[in-house]
Amino acid sequence: AAPAPKAQGPASIDKRVHLATSSERAESEFRKATALLNQGRVAEAIDGFKSTQQQDAAHAPARQALVGLLLENRRMDEAQQVLQEGLSLNPGRSAYAMLLARIQVERGDLQGAHEILSKHAGSAAGDADYYAFDAALLQRLGRHKEAVASYQSALKLAPRAGLWWMGMGISLQADKRNPEALDAFRQAKSAGGLSPDLLAFVDQRVKLLQ
């Protein structure tokens, strides 16, 4: 009779150790950091999200979480650096540009904020909030013609935004375009969504311009 086949011993088992890739290590760090955050251990969570980024700089959820925590804890310089790194890796992340611009606004640098938004405007096509944010900056800088153009871009995408119609009305009036300003204020009123104070302001402008 043919001999029975020998049982395979431990020596024949594939002993190759699986070496985790950097993206797998990053995902593991991210899960740990998220768990720490859920436990309220914010400082350790920040370190964990930073570690995730070191393993995989393209890990977007870790970068978003890290930026959020840094901003909440008023660590503006660090948040700015993380956002700038994110934009250098992916210039199309218009949300990063908006957050960077908001940091500049907090520092009182309206011109710097506008320059950031202008630099990344190509990636923000179709983002009404992006246009409206830039419009508000331009208005505060006294650049009313440009503000009107940015408000128009925003309102093409979100025509029922009463606040933006009001903003455009303010810049139109400042630019001595009173008939257009009157129309914008009326649109603001009909669009709705304004607080009682803003509605009273719009009513006052309408009466003044009629």
Side-chain angles (χ1 to χ4, degrees):
K6 289 181 181 178
Q8 287 193 334
S12 64
I13 296 172
D14 188 349
K15 288 186 175 178
R16 282 176 301 177
V17 176
H18 172 70
L19 297 174
T21 65
S22 59
S23 61
E24 287 171 337
R25 290 194 297 271
E27 194 56 39
S28 174
E29 288 291 330
F30 179 70
R31 285 196 297 270
K32 288 178 194 170
T34 303
L36 288 166
L37 182 59
N38 289 336
Q39 294 166 24
R41 295 158 69 179
V42 174
E44 292 168 85
I46 287 174
D47 289 341
F49 290 129
K50 284 182 179 179
S51 179
T52 305
Q53 293 284 279
Q54 288 164 3
Q55 296 291 343
D56 180 7
H59 198 294
R63 191 174 297 278
Q64 289 164 9
L66 179 56
V67 167
L69 288 174
L70 291 171
L71 289 174
E72 281 175 24
N73 288 275
R74 310 297 299 166
R75 292 162 67 171
M76 296 300 181
D77 289 343
E78 289 176 79
Q80 182 174 352
Q81 184 181 349
V82 174
L83 287 166
Q84 286 169 337
E85 287 168 358
L87 275 173
S88 67
L89 286 167
N90 186 352
R93 298 288 293 220
S94 59
Y96 290 169
M98 287 183 75
L99 285 170
L100 264 180
R102 291 189 193 283
I103 290 173
Q104 294 307 106
V105 170
E106 286 217 16
R107 290 174 171 160
D109 184 6
L110 300 182
Q111 180 60 33
H114 166 64
E115 286 170 3
I116 290 167
L117 293 181
S118 295
K119 182 179 177 182
H120 297 280
S123 63
D127 188 340
D129 289 317
Y130 197 96
Y131 293 127
F133 182 22
D134 199 28
L137 288 174
L138 288 163
Q139 184 176 86
R140 289 172 67 182
L141 288 165
R143 293 161 63 174
H144 293 290
K145 277 188 172 64
E146 294 166 85
V148 168
S150 289
Y151 275 124
Q152 286 171 334
S153 295
L155 286 162
K156 279 178 188 173
L157 296 163
R160 298 297 299 167
L163 189 62
W164 299 346
W165 279 112
M166 186 190 78
M168 188 163 75
I170 290 169
S171 280
L172 284 165
Q173 188 178 6
D175 201 33
K176 309 276 194 290
R177 295 157 67 179
N178 287 355
E180 292 171 83
L182 176 59
D183 181 60
F185 286 125
R186 283 174 171 159
Q187 292 276 14
K189 190 172 179 179
S190 66
L194 297 177
S195 69
D197 286 348
L198 292 179
L199 196 55
F201 170 81
V202 167
D203 281 336
Q204 182 188 42
R205 292 295 172 111
V206 168
K207 287 175 186 174
L208 187 68
L209 292 166
Q210 277 176 335

